Amino acid sequence: MNVTWSWQRAADCLPVLLEGFKITLLATVLGFLIAAALGLAIAIVRRAGPRVVTVPVRMISEFIRLTPLVVQLLFAYYLLPQFSALQIGITVLGIHYSTYMAEVYRAGIDGVPKGQWEAAHALSLPMARTWRAVILPQAIRSTTPALGNYAISMFKDTPFLFAITVVEMVTAAQQYGARTFQYLEPITIAGVIFLVASYPTSILIRKVEKSLAY
């Protein structure tokens, strides 16, 4: 294996990595949408649901959050062979991260001043409208930076999809290296792409966090 950098090899492997990047990006975006919606649902259920519902939801959430993502991917992959590996990967990523986002949402909901609840009650607002028009806008506003950080974490966790045969960017780099016996360029470029894609997002999150602080 040649450990000397070659720009020609870098150019040759770039199209392969970009194809893998499309899968990485797709898994991140769809997984985040699932996680954000399901996490919000979990937080609302745990805050406002009856105990007979909240207790099982809390236990399931804790189980998912405290078990490795790779184990969950493999379990779903072998349990649900009728679905594609990518479908399973996106769904498991979303469910896994929804349990973390639910805690963020719950902290945001708990951070809404008690007076807001009392004012909505005094105005005889229906509970659904109280949540939709009063509580959730404030809670989601305060949790936006944390949700953005989880989006970046999910993006960096997509290489775990290799466990269920999804060819995302890192797996594409490894496969290219296995075919050519040249790993330096594909692995390095994959790392650079992760950095280039993540860094602007992290800067945006910091700006949002600062703007929300005022």
Side-chain angles (χ1 to χ4, degrees):
M1 181 179 68
N2 191 342
V3 294
T4 303
W5 179 270
S6 167
W7 287 107
Q8 182 58 53
R9 286 197 299 268
D12 290 342
C13 72
L14 185 58
V16 176
L17 298 186
L18 291 179
E19 284 299 315
F21 179 70
K22 292 178 183 178
I23 301 299
T24 295
L25 192 60
L26 178 65
T28 302
V29 172
L30 296 183
F32 178 79
L33 293 176
I34 293 172
L38 183 58
L40 181 59
I42 292 172
I44 293 174
V45 167
R46 291 189 61 181
R47 181 65 170 75
R51 185 174 175 80
V52 69
V53 175
T54 59
V55 171
V57 169
R58 179 178 60 81
M59 292 177 63
I60 293 172
S61 297
E62 289 292 328
F63 176 80
I64 292 174
R65 192 165 65 251
L66 297 177
T67 53
L69 175 59
V70 172
V71 173
Q72 295 169 16
L73 286 167
L74 290 171
F75 179 80
Y77 181 66
Y78 291 119
L79 184 67
L80 303 169
Q82 65 270 35
F83 296 100
S84 72
L86 182 58
Q87 290 173 329
I88 290 173
I90 291 171
T91 304
V92 172
L93 269 177
I95 293 174
H96 182 81
Y97 271 90
S98 72
T99 60
Y100 292 97
M101 292 186 185
E103 294 301 311
V104 173
Y105 284 127
R106 199 156 65 91
I109 292 169
D110 291 341
V112 175
K114 186 178 179 181
Q116 299 290 319
W117 294 92
E118 294 173 347
H121 181 71
L123 293 172
S124 301
L125 291 180
M127 185 56 66
R129 189 176 178 188
T130 298
W131 277 101
R132 185 176 65 253
V134 180
I135 305 304
L136 290 182
Q138 298 180 67
I140 293 175
R141 181 176 182 271
S142 66
T143 60
T144 299
L147 296 179
N149 287 329
Y150 277 124
I152 294 175
S153 296
M154 183 183 295
F155 176 61
K156 293 188 295 183
D157 276 352
T158 53
F160 285 122
L161 298 181
F162 84 95
I164 57 172
T165 72
V166 175
V167 183
E168 39 62 56
M169 185 167 57
V170 174
T171 302
Q174 290 177 319
Q175 290 181 350
Y176 179 88
R179 290 195 304 270
T180 63
F181 300 102
Q182 303 295 336
Y183 289 89
L184 177 61
E185 292 83 6
I187 295 299
T188 301
I189 293 174
V192 170
I193 292 175
F194 270 111
L195 177 63
V196 170
S198 299
Y199 187 65
T201 306
S202 66
I203 293 176
L204 178 61
I205 291 170
R206 284 199 294 270
K207 288 184 178 180
V208 170
E209 190 171 5
K210 289 180 180 179
S211 67
L212 294 176
Y214 297 101

